[in-house]
Amino acid sequence: MNAVPNLAEGYELSADTARIDAERVHRWLSGDAYWAIGRARETQDGAIAGSLNFGVYETVCRDQVAYARVITDRATFAWLCDVYVDPSVRGKGIGTALVAAVREHLREYGVRRVLLATQDAHGVYEKVGFAPLERPQEWMALYFD
C-alpha cells in the first residue's frame, strides 16, 4: 500500500495497525481534534483495536505524520473517522492522499457506502468524491450522554 498516488515525496502510507503510534494518535486527537478533545487513552486504544487503521509516515525517520481509521463490516458499509494530519505537514496534500487511499482500500472490499462527519474539512473530502447526503431526512442518529 506504499504506492499512493499524489502522496508527497518522502512519505509512505501503511494500513498496518502495528505501525500506528498509539500514543501520538491519542495526543493529536485528545488534545487538538474538536471531535475528540479529552478522549481517554483507553477509549482511543479500543477504537484503534476495533478499526481499520491507516498511517502516513516519513520515509526517512519513520515518524507518523497522519492518521485515519475506518469502522466497517468490510462488505457493505464504512464510517471514516479520526482523520488527522500533524500541523507540521499540513498543506502538502497528505490528508487528501490519505483519504483517497482509504477510499481505494474500501473499494476493494466492495463497500457501497462510506460516511463521515466534518465541521471544517469539506474541501478535502470533496476532492476524493464525498458529497453531502442526498436525502438527509432518511438518516437518524442515536446519541448517548
Side-chain angles (χ1 to χ4, degrees):
M1 186 160 211
N2 289 339
V4 178
N6 302 316
L7 185 59
E9 188 173 332
Y11 298 93
E12 63 182 356
L13 185 132
S14 175
D16 180 0
T17 298
R19 290 190 67 184
I20 298 298
D21 183 340
E23 188 279 323
R24 181 175 294 201
V25 168
H26 176 255
R27 186 174 64 246
W28 283 338
L29 297 177
S30 69
D32 190 41
Y34 66 83
W35 65 90
I37 295 293
R39 183 182 288 171
R41 174 66 191 266
E42 308 79 55
T43 300
Q44 185 61 49
D45 288 348
I48 289 170
S51 303
L52 292 176
N53 297 276
F54 300 84
V56 176
Y57 305 87
E58 293 179 338
T59 54
V60 175
C61 67
R62 315 298 271 171
D63 285 344
Q64 186 171 350
V65 298
Y67 175 74
R69 71 184 180 92
V70 176
I71 304 159
T72 183
D73 60 9
R74 293 179 172 96
T76 63
F77 179 80
W79 178 265
L80 174 61
C81 54
D82 287 347
V83 179
Y84 188 90
V85 178
D86 188 274
S88 69
V89 298
R90 289 181 186 162
K92 296 182 178 185
I94 290 171
T96 301
L98 170 60
V99 173
V102 169
R103 177 196 63 205
E104 294 310 307
H105 190 91
L106 293 171
R107 189 186 312 267
E108 292 175 14
Y109 292 129
V111 168
R112 306 252 318 142
R113 181 175 292 131
V114 181
L115 293 181
L116 63 84
T118 185
Q119 289 181 4
D120 59 358
H122 297 79
V124 170
Y125 299 109
E126 287 170 350
K127 289 177 188 176
V128 297
F130 283 87
L133 291 173
E134 290 180 16
R135 296 178 304 275
Q137 69 278 7
E138 294 179 5
W139 294 87
M140 298 181 72
L142 174 64
Y143 298 95
F144 293 101
D145 292 332

